[in-house]
Every structure is written in structure tokens, then in C-alpha cells.
Amino acid sequence: MKRCLRLLAATLFVSFAFAQSDDIVPNENLVVEGIPKIPAALADKAGRYSDFRAASFESWDPDRREMLIETRFGDTAQVHQVKAPGAARTQLTFFPDRVAEAIYPPVNGNSFLFMKDVGGGEFFQLYRYDRATGDVMLLTDGKSRNVDPRWAYQGDRVAFGSTRRDGNDIDIWVVNANDASSARMVAQLEGGGWAVSDWSPDGNQLLVTNSVSAAESYVWLMDVASGKKELLTPKSGAETVAYSNARFAKDGKSAYMTSDLDSEFQRLTKMDLTSRNVTVLTSALNWDVDEFDLSKDGHWIAFEANEDGISILHVLDTTTNKEVPLPKLPVGVMYGIQWRSNSRELGFSLSTASQPYDAYSVDMVSGKIERWTFSETGGLNTSGFTQPELIHWKSWDQRSISGFLYKPGTKFPGKRPVIIDIHGGPEGQVRPEFLGHDNYFLNELGIAMIYPNVRGSTGYGKSFQKLDNGILREGSYKDISSLLDWIQTQPDLDASKVMITGGSYGGFMTLAVATNYNDRICCSVDVVGPSNLVTFLEHTSGYRQDLRRVEYGDERDPKMREFLERIAPANNATNITKPLFVIAGRNDPRVPASESAQMVQVVRKNGTPVWWLLAKDEGHGFGKKKNRDYQFYATVEFVKEYLLK
């Protein structure tokens, strides 16, 4: 899903229908309440900032030096083929809804696998695309949620997780990629946190991960024929451990994975599958290893380390366990690292503060870095876009909290208004990626942007990540209060003009700040955020409930329920007297739209101005361009009305 969300963040302008009064008219799938007419002239001024594209590297062709990417030329992100660096992007899929992932098999590039949902509901289906004919075959049942597909190394079968049995628990299934009727359940499991990580080289076993929470997960070895599973990573002591990214070594006798066992950070490790002895391969690195990939010949491991938010690419020689030198890459954020079949070339997606995500490759032998896609930026020269400044402030308990500050250009003198944008998760992290249409607030309206990483964020060690769990929830609110104190000390920031915004958990934080620090802000914009963690936990999709209870607390426990009800923004809405904009998707499986609707209802009772935008064809965040554009323009109008006046 990270790939999908990143693509959603980079938007592309399409024309609206304009009424005779020259106003922007919302399309038929948008429910709009309290939002005044938006002048069409705004699209002329801000449209280019909504005209950014992005490209996500998805998969190497196993036979040719070509790749699949995802980008958007119409309303949604679709699969495209690129035959050479800088070559044309040839669209292969054409659906009204987004395509979430595209994967070639390890052998024979005559077909590829892709995932797609409907209306943002995240009940993903798996499809096989035939390259020769363009035919698309549905491999799953068309109803359940199907996730984490993995090709067998022989290229004949796909293993995946599915809720087909009961709608909530994720079981492990296998299907022949040429025969949808061959799908069978390998293992019946309990819980919604199961995922296939890898096939063994001989095609007889799977590595399967069970995530209990962001801080606790386990890796199992599963027999494909019988479904029998064996725990490789037993719980050790009182401290929970998170294991992820499990991959078989080329000989099948050991497995690589990341783990924070005996460490604050995720480290790259190798486990001998017979003795279960574990070797730490990145012991000198005090940052998270976010992802890695093993070359086809087994000789190289490429991994990305998250070093204070910046992506650093490393390559390890598996015969010596030593790193090899690499050419210098642009400073930014990368994901999707994948070796080409020749075991010498890496593909990945990379974004910087001045560039949307694009597909890149680096050749290990020649050291050559090549950019495969050049995503458009609305005709704007982004080379002069504001670079982020890493800031720190002391919070209420004397912890150092960090974030990224973007300042408007010198053409805006004096103290500048501030937008604080809080990330979701909560187990997420703001990193210095391309800001997309947020650059409009910086470059055209002269607003400073701050993206905080409050307690509970990932990237700063597992102890920091757990600091907001359960009964500790309010500590993260206080981190924002301390940030407001810090803003008061800055000579070029205006503490009297601050807006709070955020999406998903960031939306919940937005509402929490609005109810607790109403007198310190001008307005707030909540995007798909919960308004009461009790009702959220009761109504989020069943496959997510237990995972979220570990983070927020179990609402079925009377004491925890009382606490969650006490801190719920919906139950403290009388405190909100500053204008509020609430945005939701009707098909959201994570945060039901009812969470947003109940907040709108209770805040309106205060006589507080409330803008309400509901998309009937969207889920957890708007994925369709026409909807995102209206959301952007409405937000600009809200900012002008309540932050800048």
C-alpha cells in the first residue's frame, strides 16, 4: 500500500466542468456541504501545482532490459511499460480504478500479475495480464481481500493472502497463474496480519510473516503441500520483536530478514534454517533497514537504510558480508529496490524535495545511474523549490522531537503563517519527499509548512515508536503543543496564524489538537481521520481490528474504553470554535466515513463553520484525479478564508 499512497500524493490536473457563473462544479460523486462556490480562476492560478505526475518502478522484465511502472495520464494510476531509460511510457491497463501493484514472474516476461480494487475499498483482486493478447484473467474470487502476492521462482504459481474464507482472517492460498480454478487454500489461519514473504527456490516451502502490531511480528516456515507451519522466530523475553522482509537465500538453507531483536532499529540478519543461528549483517548501522533485495545469483544484497529520513542505498557482498562502494545518488527517499535478472543492475523509485517519484536504475559494474522516467511537473521549474530544514524541539517531557520545516521564498517578508501537517500511521514517518501541491502554499501563498514526527513515529527506534501506545496517547498531542511553543520563539514564523491538518491518524491528531488547543490555532483540516477510537475500533474492517487494538488500546476493556471515550475528539467537540474542514471517502475500509460524519454533526452544534466533503467513489484518501483536484482547490479556499485573513 505504501506505493499506492505515494502515487496518490502526486496529482495531475484535469479540466472541470464550469457553471455559467465560472465556478468550479464538483462532480456527481462528491457530496459538498458548507463549502462556498470556488471560482474557476483558482484553477488557472493553482492548476499547475495539481499537474504533477509521479512514476513508481514496479518490476523488471525477466527477459529484456525493460520495466513496468505505474503512473497516471488519466484519472487513476495504471500500469505502463518503459523499454529504455527516457523512453515513452506505454499504457497497458485502462481501468476506472487504480492498479495497486504489477509484478513480472521470475522467468518468461509473457505475462505479469497486477492488483486492483474498486472504489478505494481495498478488497484487492489479483489478475494476470497476457502480453501477447492484452487479455486479463481474474485469479481470485472477485469478492474477498487478496494481498501480498508472490511468484514462485519457477514462474508457474502465485502464493497470496486472502480473506475468502470468512471475510476477516487472512489465510494462505496458492493459484496456478494460468488457471484461476486451481486456487486452493494452503493453510487456514487466525487474524488479519498474515502475509506471504517468499517462496523457497525449489517451490516447496514459503516464508510467511504474522504481524501482531508494528512492534511485534513473527516469521514461519510453511510447507506448500500440507500447510504445516513451523515458527522460526519464537518470542524471546518480555520485549516484543518485529521481523519482516523475510527472503530465502539462493541455496534455500538460510533466510535473510530484518529484525530489531536486541536493537532499537531494524537490522539485516541471516538465519541458518537448520541450526537457527542468526548473524547480524548491519550491526554498525544505527538506523532502520527498511527493505532489501537479493540478487538472482545470490551474490549481492541491496538494502535501503532510513538515516534520519534520508534513504541511503547499500550493497552487501554475501560471500564476505562486506559492503561494496556505490555511486552517489541524489539525496531523497527511495523504495521498491529490485535486482534485474542479470544480478548487476538495480531498479528503484526515488523522490527529492524538487522532484516527484521517478524510476531509476544503477549498474553495479559500470557505476552508471540512469533515470528511466521524467515525470511532468506542470510546466513549473521545480529546481528552485524550497529544501527542507530538519528541526528539533524539546517536548513536555524533555524529549527531542523532530520534523521538517519548509520556508517560503524571500519574496514573502515578515512573519509567515504556518501549516502543521501531521502524518498518519501512527507508525509512519514524514520524510523529505516531493511535496506535490503543498508547494502551492509555500510558493504562492507564502505559508511555512512543518511536518512533525511526533512520538509514535517510526525511524527513531522502537522505544520511541511505542511512546504513544494505549494510555500514553495524549503524549503525542503535547508534542504538538510544544511545537506551537517553539513556533513562538521563531522570528520569521507567526504563532497567531497556525492551521493543523493531517490524514488518517494524522486526521485524528488534527481533531485532538483542535479540541485541546483550540485557542492556539486558526483552523483545521481533517482528512479521513477517526473522531473516536472506540467507534473506530468497533467499525474498522475486521481484518484490521486486532492490529489496531495493540496500538490504540482494546475498547472491550472497560478501563481502556473509559479512557478512549474521555479523550475522543467527538466527545470534546464543544471545545472547537475555530473553522473545521472534514474530508472522507464513503468506501473507506480503514476509517469508516461515519467517523467523519459524526464529527461534522457535533461541531456544527457549536455554530462553528464546518466544511464537509464526501466522495462516494473513494476509500482511504482520494485516488481519482477529479476528486483530488476539487479537494485541493477547496482546501486552498479554506486556507485563504480562515488562515490568511
Side-chain angles (χ1 to χ4, degrees):
M1 284 306 298
K2 287 182 179 178
R3 293 180 178 178
C4 219
L5 294 173
R6 282 173 172 132
L7 279 176
L8 295 182
T11 56
L12 165 68
F13 175 69
V14 293
S15 60
F16 283 93
F18 298 118
Q20 290 184 351
S21 59
D22 287 332
D23 297 322
I24 295 175
V25 178
N27 69 74
E28 67 279 3
N29 286 308
L30 296 179
V31 176
V32 175
E33 296 178 4
I35 301 175
K37 291 181 178 180
I38 301 173
L42 176 60
D44 296 332
K45 296 178 181 178
R48 291 192 300 172
Y49 287 88
S50 192
D51 202 11
F52 301 130
R53 283 196 178 96
S56 167
F57 165 67
E58 293 295 313
S59 186
W60 285 111
D61 187 306
D63 304 319
R64 296 171 288 271
R65 191 174 184 252
E66 301 174 1
M67 62 171 61
L68 296 177
I69 66 160
E70 284 186 39
T71 192
R72 177 172 44 173
F73 280 82
D75 203 29
T76 57
Q78 299 295 318
V79 182
H80 294 67
Q81 180 188 43
V82 182
K83 293 188 175 183
R89 293 155 287 182
T90 303
Q91 189 166 339
L92 301 180
T93 62
F94 297 82
F95 297 103
D97 291 290
R98 64 191 176 188
V99 172
E101 192 171 359
I103 320 167
Y104 274 119
V107 295
N108 193 327
N110 292 337
S111 66
F112 63 85
L113 186 76
F114 70 90
M115 296 170 56
K116 186 181 72 66
D117 69 351
V118 175
E122 299 184 13
F123 283 83
F124 296 105
Q125 304 303 315
L126 308 184
Y127 300 83
R128 177 184 176 273
Y129 181 99
D130 188 295
R131 289 280 305 280
T133 64
D135 291 342
V136 173
M137 177 193 297
L138 175 65
L139 295 177
T140 45
D141 65 351
K143 301 175 183 179
S144 57
R145 173 177 164 86
N146 303 278
V147 292
D148 302 299
R150 298 289 182 267
W151 281 100
Y153 289 95
Q154 294 74 24
D156 56 344
R157 293 167 294 165
V158 178
F160 59 98
S162 179
T163 63
R164 184 186 301 197
R165 176 173 54 87
D166 63 6
N168 292 323
D169 297 312
I170 291 183
D171 303 317
I172 304 303
W173 287 67
V174 168
V175 63
N176 186 305
N178 296 310
D179 180 9
S181 66
S182 68
R184 69 177 183 88
M185 185 170 65
V186 173
Q188 179 175 314
L189 303 170
E190 183 177 348
W194 293 90
V196 178
S197 293
D198 196 21
W199 285 79
S200 62
D202 62 10
N204 294 328
Q205 294 177 305
L206 299 172
L207 288 173
V208 178
T209 303
N210 180 27
S211 296
V212 178
S213 72
E216 182 179 5
S217 52
Y218 303 93
V219 177
W220 296 74
L221 186 66
M222 180 177 291
D223 182 79
V224 175
S226 67
K228 182 179 179 180
K229 65 183 188 299
E230 181 180 359
L231 183 61
L232 296 177
T233 58
K235 187 171 183 178
S236 55
E239 187 75 16
T240 59
V241 178
Y243 298 90
S244 60
N245 302 309
R247 290 287 306 272
F248 281 100
K250 183 174 175 55
D251 61 8
K253 297 178 180 179
S254 57
Y256 296 97
M257 62 190 75
T258 56
S259 165
D260 58 12
L261 178 65
D262 300 323
S263 172
E264 279 291 311
F265 296 96
Q266 286 284 317
R267 302 185 295 183
L268 181 61
T269 66
K270 182 179 182 180
M271 174 185 286
D272 184 291
L273 294 178
T274 301
S275 68
R276 306 295 167 84
N277 290 333
V278 175
T279 303
V280 178
L281 303 178
T282 58
S283 56
L285 188 64
N286 290 318
W287 298 102
D288 282 333
V289 173
D290 281 345
E291 61 172 293
F292 69 88
D293 191 39
L294 181 68
S295 63
K296 189 172 183 178
D297 63 8
H299 187 71
W300 308 103
I301 296 179
F303 64 93
E304 180 261 333
N306 173 359
E307 302 188 15
D308 224 346
I310 303 296
S311 289
I312 305 298
L313 180 64
H314 302 259
V315 173
L316 198 71
D317 185 326
T318 61
T319 60
T320 64
N321 290 340
K322 293 182 178 180
E323 287 194 38
V324 296
L326 289 172
K328 187 176 181 180
L329 294 169
V331 176
V333 182
M334 70 171 60
Y335 70 94
I337 299 169
Q338 187 183 134
W339 288 98
R340 197 175 148 224
S341 58
N342 65 359
S343 297
R344 61 176 275 180
E345 194 169 12
L346 276 169
F348 52 89
S349 304
L350 175 71
S351 171
T352 69
S354 58
Q355 175 204 310
Y357 276 99
D358 269 315
Y360 282 79
S361 68
V362 58
D363 190 293
M364 285 291 297
V365 177
S366 68
K368 187 176 183 180
I369 301 170
E370 291 184 280
R371 185 172 171 181
W372 284 63
T373 59
F374 293 81
S375 294
E376 293 81 358
T377 56
L380 292 165
N381 182 357
T382 61
S383 61
F385 277 17
T386 300
Q387 296 297 307
E389 175 187 343
L390 179 63
I391 61 173
H392 295 83
W393 63 94
K394 287 289 185 183
S395 194
W396 54 279
D397 58 357
Q398 297 304 300
R399 292 183 186 273
S400 178
I401 307 297
S402 67
F404 290 98
L405 167 64
Y406 294 76
K407 293 181 180 180
T410 55
K411 70 178 182 179
F412 298 102
K415 286 179 172 286
R416 304 316 308 158
V418 180
I419 293 177
I420 298 175
D421 192 331
I422 306 171
H423 69 70
E427 312 94 340
Q429 182 189 17
V430 173
R431 302 178 69 180
E433 302 164 301
F434 188 69
L435 293 184
H437 58 228
D438 280 0
N439 284 293
Y440 180 80
F441 300 117
L442 283 160
N443 298 343
E444 307 299 334
L445 300 183
I447 302 170
M449 305 286 298
I450 298 178
Y451 300 84
N453 281 313
V454 297
R455 67 191 62 210
S457 301
T458 52
Y460 306 97
K462 61 184 179 183
S463 297
F464 187 83
Q465 179 185 312
K466 296 176 183 178
L467 284 177
D468 67 340
N469 285 4
I471 205 75
L472 304 176
R473 181 65 44 200
E474 293 171 296
S476 57
Y477 314 169
K478 296 177 183 178
D479 289 343
I480 299 298
S481 177
S482 299
L483 174 57
L484 295 172
D485 293 338
W486 180 86
I487 291 172
Q488 288 182 322
T489 69
Q490 303 305 300
D492 52 355
L493 301 180
D494 189 346
S496 70
K497 291 188 175 182
V498 176
M499 185 182 95
I500 305 293
T501 188
S504 191
Y505 176 74
F508 174 82
M509 282 287 291
T510 294
L511 298 175
V513 171
T515 55
N516 285 278
Y517 310 112
N518 176 75
D519 59 334
R520 306 189 68 184
I521 65 173
C522 292
C523 54
S524 50
V525 179
D526 158 36
V527 183
V528 300
S531 60
N532 182 328
L533 293 179
V534 171
T535 54
F536 159 72
L537 289 167
E538 289 176 337
H539 297 112
T540 190
S541 295
Y543 62 85
R544 304 184 71 252
Q545 284 178 313
D546 289 339
L547 183 70
R548 294 294 81 195
R549 283 169 176 147
V550 176
E551 169 68 33
Y552 297 123
D554 193 333
E555 85 287 0
R556 297 168 299 184
D557 176 80
K559 290 184 178 179
M560 181 57 67
R561 189 181 187 92
E562 187 279 329
F563 169 73
L564 295 178
E565 291 281 14
R566 178 175 62 79
I567 68 169
N571 294 337
N572 294 281
T574 55
N575 296 342
I576 300 180
T577 63
K578 304 297 176 62
L580 173 66
F581 187 8
V582 179
I583 299 158
R586 189 173 67 178
N587 303 325
D588 194 336
R590 307 190 199 187
V591 180
S594 56
E595 287 295 305
S596 299
Q598 69 185 4
M599 196 68 194
V600 169
Q601 183 178 12
V602 293
V603 174
R604 280 179 174 164
K605 293 178 180 178
N606 302 340
T608 299
V610 179
W611 295 16
W612 168 233
L613 177 60
L614 174 73
K616 294 183 286 186
D617 58 344
E618 298 281 13
H620 197 63
F622 291 5
K624 295 181 171 65
K625 187 63 188 66
K626 58 181 178 292
N627 297 335
R628 288 187 62 83
D629 278 345
Y630 186 85
Q631 175 188 343
F632 172 46
Y633 296 139
T635 302
V636 170
E637 287 296 294
F638 184 84
V639 167
K640 288 180 176 179
E641 179 68 23
Y642 297 116
L643 180 64
L644 299 184
K645 284 189 178 179

